[in-house]
């Protein structure tokens, strides 16, 4: 008899958790990505988080250097598991035990890391993946849940699966439904999340809606009012975020989980690399979003119950990211690569506007530019080499350096490469076409960067982590 009541008890606990989570005050966190050309050391970044009273951070892996820097900070952490290792974690309980032991348990000590979530994959159902990772998600969740249980952490650390908003669709929010080919696995996923007290994590990007559709009304992407409100029965939507969020709520309702708590895993606005990506727009969107969430107003389908947490994308610019989606991909940070705030933004933490990183160690103030006394007609190959290694996306249409002229473009490319090479004098040669200057060549909003060198930098992966990763790949048969 007692055993027969357990599912009902678990369901009741999950329902109580879902309501209490939705009614709690929303938290503002950040995504900390590390696909960068110029990396601040993890301790410097953690200091930046603490200086700005940012209490929640989402990672895309479990980098030991990052987790070690977070020890004792009290910051709530979501660690990530790359899609590429879901298969081995789902096929081997031994592998999942090892992953939990090396990436979670070892940090869950007194004065350790406050790990609250493990993100199992990152947007594994994305349309462009064509189902590549879909078969591995549920098996990985099941094994990892058992591994957390063995480590006596299943009640504290929750497994989640960040999903892209392309997992659901509709012309109106109230008609939201998961893509037909995902209905079965989404029902399995949400049932698992619900039974284990985990929220649904979704990434919402109004910017991408605007970028990808020339007919998308620009004012509807922001929170300052619109002339293009969407009427859905008795509900009226004044911004794309609320409309997208409620489309998910409706989709969850259609599979029987309309009260599932939701976390926004990624949301933000880039500052460069596209006509619509600039400092003014990014500040307007992010400040409007923060104000909207912290107001507690919620959405038409969830009045008074905003997402339990949101994670801004992102903390820092990542100059080594793929530009396949667009040049803006390298410019999502609310801080530039060196931890300097790009624009005034108040996260509601009591700190006022963003504060810059302290004690950043820069290379000397010198730059590499085109030599004005040389014929630059044969510079194309050198430009290709420079921009193939460094980030030149701001030179393209819509970028902040797009209007600095041909010589300016050459200088920008040369300097970007020179700084990437830690100002090695040979890297500014370019067959005599480059020269070093001590006069800042920045023009208007176009910033010619100076690289950083951080003495507190730690290695990305410890020897233990490398061995564990290799061992997991061996298990998977790669």
């Amino acid at each position: 008899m007692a055993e027969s009541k357990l599912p009902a008890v678990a369901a009741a606990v999950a329902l109580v958790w879902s309501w209490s989570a939705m009614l709690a005050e929303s938290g503002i966190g950040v995504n900390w990505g590390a696909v960068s050309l110029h990396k601040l050391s993890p301790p410097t970044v953690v200091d930046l988080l603490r200086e700005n009273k940012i209490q929640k951070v989402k990672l895309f892996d479990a980098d030991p250097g990052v987790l070690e820097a977070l020890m004792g900070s009290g910051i709530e952490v979501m660690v990530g598991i790359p899609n590429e290792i879901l298969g081995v974690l789902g096929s081997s309980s031994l592998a999942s035990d090892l992953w939990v032991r090396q990436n979670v348990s070892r940090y869950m000590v007194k004065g350790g890391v406050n790990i609250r979530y493990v993100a199992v994959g990152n947007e594994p159902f994305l349309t462009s993946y064509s189902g590549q990772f879909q078969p591995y998600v549920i098996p990985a969740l099941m094994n990892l849940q058992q591994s957390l249980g063995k480590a006596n952490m299943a009640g504290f650390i929750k497994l989640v699966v960040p999903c892209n908003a392309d997992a659901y669709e509709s012309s109106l929010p109230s008609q939201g439904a998961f893509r037909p080919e995902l209905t079965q696995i989404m029902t399995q996923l949400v049932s698992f999340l619900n039974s284990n007290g985990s929220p649904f994590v979704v990434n919402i990007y109004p910017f991408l809606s605007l970028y990808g559709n020339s007919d998308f009304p620009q004012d509807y992407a922001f929170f300052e009012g619109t002339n293009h409100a969407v009427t859905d029965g008795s509900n009226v939507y004044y911004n794309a975020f609320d409309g997208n969020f409620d489309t998910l709520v409706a989709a969850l309702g259609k599979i029987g989980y309309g009260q599932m708590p939701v976390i926004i895993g990624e949301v933000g606005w880039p500052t460069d690399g596209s006509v619509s990506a600039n400092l003014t727009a990014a500040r307007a969107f992010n400040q409007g979003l923060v104000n909207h969430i912290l107001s507690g107003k919620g959405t038409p389908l969830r009045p008074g119950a905003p997402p339990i947490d949101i994670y801004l994308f992102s903390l820092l610019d990542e100059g080594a990211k793929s530009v396949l989606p667009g040049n803006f991909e390298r410019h999502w940070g609310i801080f530039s690569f060196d931890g300097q705030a790009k624009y005034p933004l108040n996260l509601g933490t009591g700190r006022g506007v963003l504060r810059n990183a302290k004690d950043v160690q820069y290379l000397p103030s010198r730059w590499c530019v085109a030599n004005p006394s040389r014929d630059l007609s044969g510079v194309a190959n050198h430009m290709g080499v420079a921009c193939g290694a460094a980030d030149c996306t701001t030179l393209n249409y819509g970028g902040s350096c797009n209007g600095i002229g041909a010589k300016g473009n050459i200088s920008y490319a040369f300097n970007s490469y020179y700084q990437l090479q830690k100002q090695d004098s040979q890297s500014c040669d370019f067959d005599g076409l480059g020269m070093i200057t001590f006069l800042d060549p920045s023009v208007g909003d176009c910033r010619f960067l100076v690289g950083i060198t951080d003495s507190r930098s730690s290695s990305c992966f410890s020897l233990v982590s490398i061995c564990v990763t290799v061992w997991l790949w061996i298990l998977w048969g790669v």
Side-chain angles (χ1 to χ4, degrees):
M1 289 290 290
E3 289 184 6
S4 66
K5 294 180 181 179
L6 287 177
V9 172
V13 170
L15 181 61
V16 170
W17 183 88
S18 70
W19 276 108
S20 62
M22 285 195 292
L23 294 175
E25 183 178 353
S26 298
I28 308 295
V30 293
N31 284 269
W32 177 359
V35 190
S36 305
L37 296 172
H38 307 271
K39 290 186 179 181
L40 285 175
S41 72
T44 299
V45 178
V46 172
D47 287 348
L48 177 64
L49 294 170
R50 298 177 75 171
E51 179 67 19
N52 286 281
K53 286 192 174 180
I54 297 172
Q55 293 298 314
K56 299 173 186 286
V57 66
K58 177 172 168 282
L59 309 176
F60 293 91
D61 52 24
D63 184 333
V66 170
L67 291 172
E68 287 164 10
L70 285 163
M71 293 186 73
S73 69
I75 295 171
E76 183 179 297
V77 179
M78 181 187 297
V79 297
I81 298 176
N83 292 330
E84 290 74 15
I85 65 171
L86 294 182
V88 65
L89 294 176
S91 65
S92 168
S93 59
L94 185 62
S96 68
D97 288 348
L98 178 62
W99 190 92
V100 167
R101 186 161 60 249
Q102 292 297 332
N103 299 292
V104 179
S105 300
R106 66 185 296 198
Y107 300 106
M108 297 294 288
V109 296
K110 185 176 181 180
V113 183
N114 183 19
I115 299 174
R116 300 300 301 273
Y117 298 102
V118 173
V120 182
N122 184 46
E123 300 184 336
F125 309 117
L126 196 64
T127 306
S128 60
Y129 289 148
S130 302
Q132 177 182 356
F133 303 109
Q134 189 170 321
Y136 310 130
V137 175
I138 300 300
L141 282 170
M142 301 296 289
N143 277 350
L144 287 164
Q145 186 67 29
Q146 291 181 358
S147 297
L148 287 174
K150 294 175 187 176
N152 296 317
M153 292 183 294
F156 182 74
I157 297 175
K158 302 301 179 182
L159 300 177
V160 296
V161 179
C163 294
N164 189 279
D166 80 344
Y168 48 90
E169 54 195 8
S170 176
S171 57
L172 290 173
S174 64
Q175 297 172 12
F178 290 110
R179 299 195 326 255
E181 70 272 23
L182 293 181
T183 301
Q184 181 178 359
I185 193 168
M186 279 298 178
T187 302
Q188 292 177 296
L189 169 61
V190 176
S191 175
F192 173 90
L193 297 175
N194 184 69
S195 64
N196 290 287
S198 297
F200 190 96
V201 178
V202 65
N203 302 337
I204 295 177
Y205 284 105
F207 170 80
L208 295 181
S209 299
L210 178 63
Y211 177 79
N213 183 356
S214 59
D215 295 326
F216 192 89
Q218 181 164 330
D219 59 0
Y220 188 61
F222 296 89
F223 298 88
E224 299 168 343
T226 178
N227 294 319
H228 303 86
V230 173
T231 300
D232 183 5
S234 60
N235 294 324
V236 180
Y237 290 86
Y238 298 97
N239 64 79
F241 178 86
D242 284 357
N244 196 311
F245 183 87
D246 275 2
T247 303
L248 169 62
V249 171
L252 289 168
K254 283 183 173 59
I255 61 173
Y257 296 93
Q259 302 304 323
M260 168 68 65
V262 175
I263 283 177
I264 307 301
E266 297 177 24
V267 60
W269 201 279
T271 58
D272 215 326
S274 170
V275 173
S276 299
N278 54 69
L279 296 172
T280 300
R283 181 190 181 192
F285 178 83
N286 283 329
Q287 192 63 70
L289 172 70
V290 169
N291 294 346
H292 182 59
I293 295 298
L294 295 183
S295 74
K297 180 180 178 181
T299 64
L301 291 187
R302 286 194 173 173
I308 55 177
D309 290 321
I310 68 166
Y311 292 85
L312 294 177
F313 191 86
S314 63
L315 179 64
L316 301 162
D317 281 346
E318 297 177 82
K321 289 191 71 176
S322 168
V323 295
L324 188 61
N327 291 320
F328 55 81
E329 272 299 301
R330 296 177 175 177
H331 306 282
W332 288 97
I334 56 177
F335 293 92
S336 53
F337 73 92
D338 54 354
Q340 305 306 294
K342 293 183 182 178
Y343 48 84
L345 179 65
N346 190 328
L347 298 179
T349 62
R351 280 292 198 202
V353 297
L354 296 177
R355 301 185 181 187
N356 295 333
K358 295 181 177 179
D359 302 321
V360 177
Q361 302 298 310
Y362 290 92
L363 296 170
S365 295
R366 56 189 178 215
W367 298 262
C368 178
V369 297
N371 190 331
S373 66
R374 297 297 299 270
D375 177 9
L376 300 174
S377 59
V379 77
N381 288 337
H382 295 299
M383 287 276 289
V385 169
C387 292
D391 176 30
C392 299
T393 53
T394 59
L395 295 177
N396 296 313
Y397 177 69
S400 60
C401 298
N402 180 242
I404 61 175
K407 286 187 178 180
N409 290 346
I410 297 168
S411 293
Y412 188 92
F414 283 6
N415 183 65
S416 297
Y417 184 78
Y418 174 64
Q419 302 298 338
L420 181 61
Q421 301 302 321
K422 301 295 185 184
Q423 297 185 357
D424 183 333
S425 59
Q426 294 299 314
S427 68
C428 187
D429 182 60
F430 297 105
D431 289 336
L433 300 182
M435 59 173 283
I436 295 172
T437 179
F438 296 92
L439 298 176
D440 187 349
S442 299
V443 181
D445 292 333
C446 179
R447 175 190 177 194
F448 280 59
L449 64 86
V450 172
I452 56 175
T453 174
D454 200 321
S455 60
R456 296 197 293 170
S457 180
S458 58
S459 61
C460 290
F461 294 100
S462 67
L463 180 60
V464 171
S465 178
I466 293 173
C467 292
V468 168
T469 302
V470 171
W471 190 81
L472 288 175
W473 282 116
I474 292 173
L475 276 179
W476 185 233
V478 175

